[in-house]
Amino acid sequence: MAIRLATTNDRDAIWAILEPMLRRGETYSLPREMTREQALDFWFASGHETFVCEADTKAGVILGTYFLRANQSGGGAHVANCGYVTAHGAEGQGIARAMCLHSLARAKERGFRAMQFNFVVSTNERAVKLWLSLGFEVVGRLPGAFEHPGRGFVDAVVMYRALL
Amino acid sequence: MAIRLATTNDRDAIWAILEPMLRRGETYSLPREMTREQALDFWFASGHETFVCEADTKAGVILGTYFLRANQSGGGAHVANCGYVTAHGAEGQGIARAMCLHSLARAKERGFRAMQFNFVVSTNERAVKLWLSLGFEVVGRLPGAFEHPGRGFVDAVVMYRALL
């Protein structure tokens, strides 16, 4: 697979990835009813550097997408934040891992000193395990902070990794 | 003192409170160089309910201001978030405490189940102590996440309080 900057030509492919994630409502604290325009405006927001992960074998097939941004401004602008989504049905192929590794390298290149995930839903065990394997630590636990559509109020965790 | 919803007539008074806080750059992860318009746009952002704390004795004298919002959307929309600022020179009179108590009541009234502060700079000891005294707990610690203008990279903490 190859990871490259997203362009406006990728909007359809990115929406095809974001929509099922939003509608399931199990992993991101975003409105489940978000429209295509709202979702793409957020994904391509000012200050977001947006990437796609393309299959090697089939050019034009987008398997995942992520954004990189500063998590805070002012005195907090040296800490990066990312959001990653793998295409539904493409899980288990290392796409999220590849995107995270890419984002860590890109964040270092841009001079960020650390990366923080503000809100990892604790029931998203695959993600928590993956971030732990990539050097992130759980530095905070938000009790009942996420209302999971199937499991009710569950914890979210804050994860952090130095880049230096 | 009396706490009431802010109006556009309060913009000058609010800016007079925000400006020294921004320029010092010691407590909020906002750009120190933020302009009046940027700061007021943020303070009165869509989704923020903005309040001022007025002196009883001198009508029209604003001693503090705060906003209340949902900290996340979607499955995280039941957790509130606030930002409070006391006028420079009016510290130590219980204004932040009064604003926080007001915000906790207002958040309950609006049906929020918890309140979260995402980024309390650890060197802001007065604030950390005050939030602890009002039932908040430190649920996370972000190592070196804030670049303090005088003290370099210092930790920020995540604080959380159930409202039920």
mmCIF file of all heavy atoms in Angstrom, chain B residues 3-19:
data_model
loop_
_atom_site.group_PDB
_atom_site.id
_atom_site.type_symbol
_atom_site.label_atom_id
_atom_site.label_comp_id
_atom_site.label_asym_id
_atom_site.label_seq_id
_atom_site.Cartn_x
_atom_site.Cartn_y
_atom_site.Cartn_z
ATOM 1 N N ILE B 3 -24.245 36.245 38.229
ATOM 2 C CA ILE B 3 -23.804 35.639 36.964
ATOM 3 C C ILE B 3 -24.988 35.615 36.014
ATOM 4 O O ILE B 3 -26.083 35.211 36.392
ATOM 5 C CB ILE B 3 -23.233 34.229 37.219
ATOM 6 C CG1 ILE B 3 -21.943 34.365 38.048
ATOM 7 C CG2 ILE B 3 -22.949 33.514 35.899
ATOM 8 C CD1 ILE B 3 -21.414 33.067 38.601
ATOM 9 N N ARG B 4 -24.768 36.100 34.811
ATOM 10 C CA ARG B 4 -25.844 36.154 33.811
ATOM 11 C C ARG B 4 -25.271 35.857 32.442
ATOM 12 O O ARG B 4 -24.062 35.903 32.222
ATOM 13 C CB ARG B 4 -26.508 37.541 33.832
ATOM 14 C CG ARG B 4 -25.542 38.661 33.509
ATOM 15 C CD ARG B 4 -26.245 39.964 33.135
ATOM 16 N NE ARG B 4 -25.279 41.050 32.951
ATOM 17 C CZ ARG B 4 -24.546 41.251 31.856
ATOM 18 N NH1 ARG B 4 -24.641 40.423 30.800
ATOM 19 N NH2 ARG B 4 -23.686 42.254 31.771
ATOM 20 N N LEU B 5 -26.159 35.547 31.493
ATOM 21 C CA LEU B 5 -25.737 35.323 30.110
ATOM 22 C C LEU B 5 -25.064 36.583 29.563
ATOM 23 O O LEU B 5 -25.507 37.699 29.832
ATOM 24 C CB LEU B 5 -26.952 34.989 29.234
ATOM 25 C CG LEU B 5 -27.380 33.523 29.201
ATOM 26 C CD1 LEU B 5 -28.710 33.395 28.448
ATOM 27 C CD2 LEU B 5 -26.315 32.647 28.521
ATOM 28 N N ALA B 6 -24.011 36.387 28.805
ATOM 29 C CA ALA B 6 -23.340 37.519 28.167
ATOM 30 C C ALA B 6 -24.132 37.959 26.939
ATOM 31 O O ALA B 6 -24.812 37.151 26.296
ATOM 32 C CB ALA B 6 -21.931 37.112 27.748
ATOM 33 N N THR B 7 -24.028 39.234 26.618
ATOM 34 C CA THR B 7 -24.628 39.763 25.393
ATOM 35 C C THR B 7 -23.520 40.443 24.586
ATOM 36 O O THR B 7 -22.395 40.596 25.062
ATOM 37 C CB THR B 7 -25.715 40.819 25.711
ATOM 38 O OG1 THR B 7 -25.070 42.026 26.144
ATOM 39 C CG2 THR B 7 -26.668 40.324 26.784
ATOM 40 N N THR B 8 -23.872 40.877 23.398
ATOM 41 C CA THR B 8 -22.857 41.553 22.587
ATOM 42 C C THR B 8 -22.395 42.848 23.258
ATOM 43 O O THR B 8 -21.288 43.315 23.008
ATOM 44 C CB THR B 8 -23.388 41.859 21.169
ATOM 45 O OG1 THR B 8 -24.636 42.538 21.310
ATOM 46 C CG2 THR B 8 -23.594 40.584 20.384
ATOM 47 N N ASN B 9 -23.223 43.413 24.135
ATOM 48 C CA ASN B 9 -22.798 44.609 24.884
ATOM 49 C C ASN B 9 -21.633 44.346 25.832
ATOM 50 O O ASN B 9 -21.016 45.278 26.322
ATOM 51 C CB ASN B 9 -23.974 45.170 25.696
ATOM 52 C CG ASN B 9 -25.058 45.742 24.798
ATOM 53 O OD1 ASN B 9 -24.766 46.193 23.693
ATOM 54 N ND2 ASN B 9 -26.296 45.695 25.261
ATOM 55 N N ASP B 10 -21.398 43.059 26.121
ATOM 56 C CA ASP B 10 -20.316 42.713 27.046
ATOM 57 C C ASP B 10 -18.991 42.467 26.334
ATOM 58 O O ASP B 10 -18.002 42.117 26.984
ATOM 59 C CB ASP B 10 -20.694 41.439 27.829
ATOM 60 C CG ASP B 10 -21.947 41.627 28.663
ATOM 61 O OD1 ASP B 10 -22.012 42.632 29.395
ATOM 62 O OD2 ASP B 10 -22.861 40.780 28.579
ATOM 63 N N ARG B 11 -18.970 42.626 25.027
ATOM 64 C CA ARG B 11 -17.760 42.237 24.287
ATOM 65 C C ARG B 11 -16.526 43.021 24.734
ATOM 66 O O ARG B 11 -15.456 42.434 24.906
ATOM 67 C CB ARG B 11 -17.984 42.382 22.771
ATOM 68 C CG ARG B 11 -18.930 41.308 22.222
ATOM 69 C CD ARG B 11 -19.333 41.567 20.780
ATOM 70 N NE ARG B 11 -18.239 41.423 19.843
ATOM 71 C CZ ARG B 11 -17.906 40.299 19.193
ATOM 72 N NH1 ARG B 11 -18.604 39.202 19.404
ATOM 73 N NH2 ARG B 11 -16.913 40.273 18.343
ATOM 74 N N ASP B 12 -16.661 44.317 24.950
ATOM 75 C CA ASP B 12 -15.497 45.109 25.399
ATOM 76 C C ASP B 12 -14.995 44.619 26.758
ATOM 77 O O ASP B 12 -13.790 44.444 26.959
ATOM 78 C CB ASP B 12 -15.872 46.599 25.511
ATOM 79 C CG ASP B 12 -16.000 47.255 24.145
ATOM 80 O OD1 ASP B 12 -15.516 46.670 23.144
ATOM 81 O OD2 ASP B 12 -16.591 48.346 24.070
ATOM 82 N N ALA B 13 -15.931 44.395 27.662
ATOM 83 C CA ALA B 13 -15.542 43.962 29.014
ATOM 84 C C ALA B 13 -14.903 42.576 28.974
ATOM 85 O O ALA B 13 -13.938 42.300 29.695
ATOM 86 C CB ALA B 13 -16.765 43.966 29.928
ATOM 87 N N ILE B 14 -15.440 41.703 28.128
ATOM 88 C CA ILE B 14 -14.876 40.350 28.034
ATOM 89 C C ILE B 14 -13.479 40.407 27.421
ATOM 90 O O ILE B 14 -12.549 39.764 27.894
ATOM 91 C CB ILE B 14 -15.830 39.422 27.246
ATOM 92 C CG1 ILE B 14 -17.091 39.159 28.076
ATOM 93 C CG2 ILE B 14 -15.132 38.111 26.878
ATOM 94 C CD1 ILE B 14 -18.176 38.370 27.356
ATOM 95 N N TRP B 15 -13.324 41.209 26.401
ATOM 96 C CA TRP B 15 -11.991 41.329 25.793
ATOM 97 C C TRP B 15 -10.989 41.889 26.807
ATOM 98 O O TRP B 15 -9.837 41.445 26.863
ATOM 99 C CB TRP B 15 -12.051 42.197 24.528
ATOM 100 C CG TRP B 15 -10.704 42.493 23.950
ATOM 101 C CD1 TRP B 15 -10.155 43.729 23.742
ATOM 102 C CD2 TRP B 15 -9.714 41.549 23.508
ATOM 103 N NE1 TRP B 15 -8.894 43.607 23.200
ATOM 104 C CE2 TRP B 15 -8.602 42.279 23.052
ATOM 105 C CE3 TRP B 15 -9.670 40.157 23.464
ATOM 106 C CZ2 TRP B 15 -7.447 41.675 22.553
ATOM 107 C CZ3 TRP B 15 -8.518 39.532 22.980
ATOM 108 C CH2 TRP B 15 -7.427 40.291 22.528
ATOM 109 N N ALA B 16 -11.426 42.818 27.633
ATOM 110 C CA ALA B 16 -10.535 43.382 28.658
ATOM 111 C C ALA B 16 -10.071 42.300 29.640
ATOM 112 O O ALA B 16 -8.997 42.409 30.227
ATOM 113 C CB ALA B 16 -11.244 44.511 29.410
ATOM 114 N N ILE B 17 -10.872 41.235 29.782
ATOM 115 C CA ILE B 17 -10.485 40.115 30.652
ATOM 116 C C ILE B 17 -9.633 39.103 29.887
ATOM 117 O O ILE B 17 -8.635 38.591 30.399
ATOM 118 C CB ILE B 17 -11.749 39.432 31.224
ATOM 119 C CG1 ILE B 17 -12.461 40.385 32.192
ATOM 120 C CG2 ILE B 17 -11.397 38.115 31.907
ATOM 121 C CD1 ILE B 17 -13.794 39.869 32.686
ATOM 122 N N LEU B 18 -10.026 38.833 28.636
ATOM 123 C CA LEU B 18 -9.308 37.800 27.871
ATOM 124 C C LEU B 18 -7.912 38.273 27.457
ATOM 125 O O LEU B 18 -6.965 37.471 27.454
ATOM 126 C CB LEU B 18 -10.101 37.408 26.613
ATOM 127 C CG LEU B 18 -11.479 36.772 26.829
ATOM 128 C CD1 LEU B 18 -12.087 36.395 25.476
ATOM 129 C CD2 LEU B 18 -11.390 35.544 27.735
ATOM 130 N N GLU B 19 -7.781 39.537 27.091
ATOM 131 C CA GLU B 19 -6.519 39.995 26.519
ATOM 132 C C GLU B 19 -5.310 39.743 27.435
ATOM 133 O O GLU B 19 -4.329 39.134 27.002
ATOM 134 C CB GLU B 19 -6.584 41.464 26.082
ATOM 135 C CG GLU B 19 -5.317 41.849 25.310
ATOM 136 C CD GLU B 19 -5.282 43.295 24.846
ATOM 137 O OE1 GLU B 19 -6.072 44.115 25.358
ATOM 138 O OE2 GLU B 19 -4.452 43.599 23.966
#
